[in-house]
């Protein structure tokens, strides 16, 4: 979660101005900045509340959206994203891809999570048997991000949170990928997401700045994490592993390569027996992707799925619905404020060579 919003498109127009000097008319030309609203590829799906970070799944033929819930905040904006001060989750359902999403109300509130203090950021969900599991990050009472899990008999909640966070968990943006009977959870986010503070395996901060604990530019970038979930879906079922994101020559993407390195918002989908690991590049605002032969990786960088949206953050999910692929994402069309976002969707195309056609969310 981060800071500055992308400004609206400014165009320069040359228009004639008329001035009166010494009783004579004189034509002059002056460049005047004219603000023009951007043209968006997609329209907001939800407008009565602010929503972001949409994680989407199809359960029993119904589409469910699990977003974060943006709210106005009196918390001062800073480099840790403190102004992203979300406190609860709403779940939305769609009977088909063209239906208007239905808001099923508050599914979980920070006051219902014993260990959580604030900042309920991007969640995800999974179904196993007749139970539904909501995975979410929140800061504990030491202001350290942990991952929690809450359980419900319904995909729309309400969800009951476990009394403690997942053992050994940290950072943000949990995302669950199911393959057969196995469930894999991915997570991590640098800067405000604190992943850089766990490079030694323990929380270690060498400075107040969220950038203070990053590797040098020529070192490998910080890796996102993955682990199988336990049979009961409430804990890690194995020791978490680091995910390697590689260049085409097999070397790790470097920390200084901000156009391609992992920042946050991990997501995995499978297409034609290949695993696609997609993620946000953060301060360069792309949703990038890499392809591998295993849900653990390594993943080889391929390119960009989604170009920058209006607003600082870019966060997504990719899901197959009725034989077609879609990307769900957010921008700030409704508010113009980077911490007050709205969710959207667009069709996604896998090309014949296995790559993904890049999507431009703001039309030229």
């Amino acid at each position: 979660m981060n800071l500055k919003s992308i400004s609206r498109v400014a165009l320069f127009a040359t228009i004639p101005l008329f001035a009166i000097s010494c009783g004579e008319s004189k034509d002059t030309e002056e460049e005047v900045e004219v603000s023009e609203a951007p043209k968006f590829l997609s329209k907001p799906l939800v407008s009565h509340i602010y929503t972001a970070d949409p994680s989407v799944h199809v359960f029993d033929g119904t589409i469910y959206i699990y977003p974060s819930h943006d709210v106005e905040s009196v918390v001062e904006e800073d480099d840790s994203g403190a102004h992203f001060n979300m406190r609860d989750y709403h779940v939305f359902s769609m009977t088909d891809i063209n239906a208007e999403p239905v808001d099923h109300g508050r599914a979980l509130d920070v006051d219902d999570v014993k260990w959580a203090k604030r900042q309920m950021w991007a969640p995800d969900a999974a179904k196993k048997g007749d139970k539904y599991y909501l995975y979410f990050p929140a800061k504990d009472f030491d202001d350290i991000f942990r991952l929690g899990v809450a359980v419900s008999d319904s995909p729309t909640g309400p969800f009951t949170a476990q009394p403690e966070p997942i053992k050994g968990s940290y950072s943000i943006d949990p995302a669950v990928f199911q393959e057969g009977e196995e469930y894999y959870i991915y997570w991590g986010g640098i800067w405000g997401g604190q992943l850089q503070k766990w490079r030694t395996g323990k929380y270690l901060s060498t400075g107040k700045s969220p950038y203070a604990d990053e590797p040098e530019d020529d070192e490998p970038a910080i890796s996102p994490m993955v682990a199988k979930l336990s049979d009961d879906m409430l804990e890690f079922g194995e020791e978490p592993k680091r995910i390697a994101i590689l260049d085409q020559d097999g070397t790790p993407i470097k920390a200084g390569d901000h156009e391609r390195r992992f920042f946050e918002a991990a997501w995995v989908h499978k297409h034609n027996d290949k695993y696609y690991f997609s993620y946000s590049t953060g301060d360069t605002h792309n949703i990038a992707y890499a392809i591998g032969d295993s849900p653990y990786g390594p993943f080889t960088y391929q390119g960009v799925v989604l170009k920058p949206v209006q607003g600082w953050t870019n966060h997504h999910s990719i899901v197959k619905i009725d034989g077609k692929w879609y990307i769900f994402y957010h921008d700030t069309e409704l508010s113009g404020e980077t911490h007050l976002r709205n969710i959207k969707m667009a069709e996604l195309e896998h090309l014949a060579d296995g790559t993904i056609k890049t999507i431009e969310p703001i039309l030229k």
Side-chain angles (χ1 to χ4, degrees):
M1 299 292 181
N2 304 286
L3 304 178
K4 63 181 181 180
S5 59
I6 299 174
S7 62
R8 291 185 177 273
V9 177
L11 301 178
F12 285 95
T14 301
I15 58 177
L17 299 178
F18 297 92
I20 303 297
S21 176
C22 298
E24 296 181 357
S25 175
K26 181 180 180 181
D27 288 354
T28 64
E29 287 191 347
E30 180 179 324
E31 284 194 327
V32 178
E33 188 175 342
V34 179
S35 179
E36 181 177 293
K39 297 177 181 177
F40 297 100
L41 173 66
S42 304
K43 64 181 182 180
L45 292 173
V46 174
S47 59
H48 66 286
I49 63 173
Y50 292 113
T51 52
D53 313 319
S55 293
V56 179
H57 297 274
V58 179
F59 297 138
D60 298 322
T62 298
I63 303 163
Y64 293 96
I65 308 173
Y66 299 87
S68 50
H69 176 200
D70 284 349
V71 293
E72 291 281 8
S73 177
V74 297
V75 178
E76 186 175 352
E77 183 173 317
D78 66 17
D79 287 348
S80 73
H83 53 297
F84 292 96
N85 198 27
M86 302 92 89
R87 59 168 296 113
D88 63 17
Y89 299 111
H90 286 230
V91 179
F92 297 82
S93 67
M94 301 169 68
T95 53
D96 60 64
I97 199 64
N98 297 310
E100 182 176 346
V102 175
D103 184 353
H104 294 273
R106 186 180 291 112
L108 183 68
D109 188 279
V110 68
D111 288 343
D112 301 324
V113 184
K114 293 181 179 180
W115 59 267
K117 176 182 178 183
R118 61 190 178 109
Q119 291 184 285
M120 306 272 275
W121 283 6
D124 194 16
K127 178 188 178 184
K128 185 175 184 180
D130 59 357
K131 297 290 185 182
Y132 298 86
Y133 301 85
L134 184 68
Y135 298 90
F136 60 93
K139 282 184 176 175
D140 65 14
F141 287 88
D142 293 319
D143 271 339
I144 296 175
F145 269 116
R146 305 289 183 181
L147 303 181
V149 58
V151 186
S152 178
D153 294 326
S154 167
T156 59
F159 288 86
T160 301
Q162 296 296 294
E164 299 291 338
I166 295 173
K167 295 184 184 69
S169 69
Y170 50 85
S171 197
I172 61 170
D173 292 354
V176 178
F177 170 70
Q178 180 186 357
E179 185 167 45
E181 298 300 314
E182 302 288 357
Y183 293 79
Y184 301 84
I185 186 168
Y186 301 81
W187 73 93
I190 64 173
W191 295 7
Q194 301 180 342
L195 185 60
Q196 73 279 2
K197 299 182 184 299
W198 292 90
R199 293 173 64 196
T200 65
K202 295 182 178 181
Y203 185 85
L204 177 64
S205 179
T206 59
K208 291 184 178 180
S209 167
Y211 326 116
D213 305 288
E214 287 193 88
E216 297 297 325
D217 283 353
D218 59 352
E219 293 180 318
I222 294 171
S223 297
M225 304 299 295
V226 60
K228 279 185 185 178
L229 285 164
S230 58
D231 287 343
D232 64 6
M233 302 289 282
L234 302 179
E235 301 289 349
F236 298 146
E238 61 182 355
E239 188 69 23
K241 299 173 175 60
R242 299 183 188 276
I243 296 171
I245 303 175
L246 307 177
D247 205 338
Q248 294 287 337
D249 63 5
T251 60
I253 299 293
K254 298 296 191 291
D257 188 351
H258 288 209
E259 290 289 335
R260 301 189 299 165
R261 62 90 167 86
F262 172 83
F263 188 94
E264 62 185 6
W267 188 264
V268 171
H269 75 277
K270 189 177 182 181
H271 175 68
N272 287 348
D273 295 323
K274 295 290 185 180
Y275 300 87
Y276 289 70
F277 183 85
S278 49
Y279 56 95
S280 171
T281 59
D283 56 340
T284 51
H285 316 292
N286 290 316
I287 298 296
Y289 75 106
I291 297 176
D293 295 318
S294 163
Y296 292 110
F299 297 97
T300 301
Y301 180 87
Q302 302 294 320
V304 173
V305 178
L306 184 69
K307 288 287 191 176
V309 299
Q310 179 179 278
W312 203 98
T313 64
N314 205 352
H315 195 124
H316 72 300
S317 59
I318 296 171
V319 61
K320 195 173 188 179
I321 301 171
D322 294 331
K324 292 184 177 181
W325 287 96
Y326 295 88
I327 184 168
F328 288 74
Y329 62 101
H330 67 233
D331 66 14
T332 61
E333 179 180 354
L334 294 181
S335 74
E337 298 288 338
T338 202
H339 67 291
L340 297 174
R341 297 159 293 181
N342 48 259
I343 58 174
K344 296 185 170 185
M345 70 175 178
E347 193 168 337
L348 178 143
E349 182 181 357
H350 294 85
L351 301 177
D353 62 359
T355 60
I356 296 174
K357 183 178 179 181
T358 301
I359 296 168
E360 296 274 1
I362 300 176
L363 303 178
K364 303 298 185 185

